[in-house]
Amino acid sequence: MLAQRIKNLKSSATLELAAKVRELEKAGVSVIDLTLGEPDFCTPGNIRKAAIRSIKDGFTHYTLVAGISELREAIAKKLLIENKVSFTPQEIVVGVGSKQLLYHAFQVLCAPGDEVLIPIPTWSTYLEQIKLSGATSVLVRLKPPFKLKASDLLKGISSKTKAILLNSPSNPTGAVIEKEELEKIADLAIKKDIFVISDEIYEKILYTGKHYSIASFGHDIKQRTITINGLSKAYAMTGWRVGYAAGQEEIIESMVALQSQTTSNTSSVSQMAALAAIKGSQRPVLLMLKEFRKRRDFIFKILSEINGLSISLPEGAFYLFVGIEKLLNKKYPTSAIWCTQLLKEKGVALVPGEAFLYPGYFRLSFTNSIANISEAVNRIKSFV
Ligand code: PLP
């Protein structure tokens, strides 16, 4: 009955796990949930107020498909000032989260026969979306500390390569691509006539150095890059569903055309909230970052004291990607089984590496209080 492409689709493992945790909690089990890919902070007050104001003012109808002009202008200004890349509002589309814009980017660029290079470990949504476009993912396996280099990509490039997917800082590793490597990747993409889809959603959750957008390295790379970003992570706005894409006008126009036949615009109220987030004080972002840094340092220290785990200090995002290969044995042969048993026996929920095409690891989100994280690590220690 169902179409083959849907039969081939895998639903989001992390969202499924989150649902499982909620079920256990409902049944009265005490679970410390370290699976979530969203900040545990409330959306800052000025943003919520802007949304309430827009409802009171009756700003509750369809908007332009690409997003309201003020918001696209504010995003263009942000991209110029923070990311050092100049876009007109016509080169920007606002959509229902960056997830939708990634989907649209793959739909407008990729077709059967095309290949997309994906460094792994990776967020599995990219693979499923590429599958839906008819293209094929070519996996580029990285080794700890998972920092992508241009030379890693060389092995995967063929005459069919249409695009390279970049995600820095990365989900699930928190690794950042160094500026020199980004420049080399830009040169490679230009030389080989390949597009770049650059998912920069964690740019503001960065603990060392500065974020660089590959599109800022000159006209030629800008023309072949789709920069993807969103408000979810930086402003704790996962439920508002606002993301954006920036790129050359022909590509963005096609993404807008596709959006016009799928979701139209994202919510008018959310767009007003996003405008307040971008134009308002950035202090809440800095406070959140300060708290994440404190947690990262704390958890890195206490996890490092457990024998058998291999850990790299994340440079960005709010995840630790931890190797447990040394702990796997006949009883617990895979990281998926290990994580399931940990949840059953100790009530700690982690995402197994299988969800990121990298078995033998787990992802731990430090989007939880220090007290809960500390208790979770004690439970992990006793499980080990
Ligand atoms: N990109 C990455 C790497 C993510 O981890 C996520 C969410 O987990 C997204 C994009 C999607 O975010 P949103 O659709 O909320 O903008």
Side-chain angles (χ1 to χ4, degrees), residues 219-265:
H219 177 264
D220 289 353
I221 188 64
K222 184 189 154 197
Q223 285 305 98
R224 49 185 53 263
T225 299
I226 305 181
T227 303
I228 305 278
N229 209 327
L231 287 279
S232 288
K233 316 286 176 175
Y235 300 95
M237 287 180 71
T238 48
W240 300 76
R241 311 310 300 132
V242 190
Y244 56 90
Q248 58 156 293
E249 205 167 328
E250 192 187 349
I251 294 178
I252 297 299
E253 268 176 8
S254 307
M255 289 173 69
V256 173
L258 181 55
Q259 188 162 299
S260 77
Q261 299 296 11
T262 54
T263 54
S264 298
N265 54 275

Side-chain angles (χ1 to χ4, degrees), residues 37 97-99 102 123 126 167 171 199 201-202 232-233 241:
S98 62
K99 204 178 230 184
L102 282 162
W123 187 50
Y126 303 130
N167 175 216
N171 174 8
D199 179 351
I201 189 125
Y202 293 101
S232 288
K233 316 286 176 175
R241 311 310 300 132

Side-chain angles (χ1 to χ4, degrees), residues 28-42:
V29 182
S30 135
V31 178
I32 303 177
D33 186 4
L34 303 180
T35 66
L36 295 181
E38 61 178 349
D40 53 319
F41 302 98
C42 196

Side-chain angles (χ1 to χ4, degrees), residues 75-85 87 92 244 246:
I75 292 168
K77 201 167 161 193
K78 178 257 177 235
L79 287 168
L80 182 63
I81 294 170
E82 292 182 7
N83 305 80
K84 311 285 177 246
V85 48
F87 288 106
I92 292 167
Y244 56 90

Side-chain angles (χ1 to χ4, degrees), residues 102 105-106 109-110 114-119 122 126 130 136-138 140 148-158 160-167 177 181-182 184-199 214 221 224-228:
L102 282 162
F106 292 124
L109 278 188
C110 302
D114 291 337
E115 292 177 352
V116 182
L117 289 191
I118 309 268
T122 189
Y126 303 130
I130 290 164
T136 306
S137 299
V138 173
V140 175
L148 177 70
K149 294 203 174 84
S151 56
D152 296 321
L153 295 168
L154 280 176
K155 299 165 239 164
I157 291 180
S158 77
K160 295 180 185 164
T161 309
K162 185 68 186 262
I164 301 169
L165 187 283
L166 301 180
N167 175 216
I177 307 171
E181 292 300 328
L182 263 187
K184 284 186 202 162
I185 295 169
D187 289 344
L188 187 66
I190 294 164
K191 198 168 125 206
K192 301 276 186 184
D193 193 18
I194 297 169
F195 285 90
V196 173
I197 296 176
S198 181
D199 179 351
I214 193 165
I221 188 64
R224 49 185 53 263
T225 299
I226 305 181
T227 303
I228 305 278

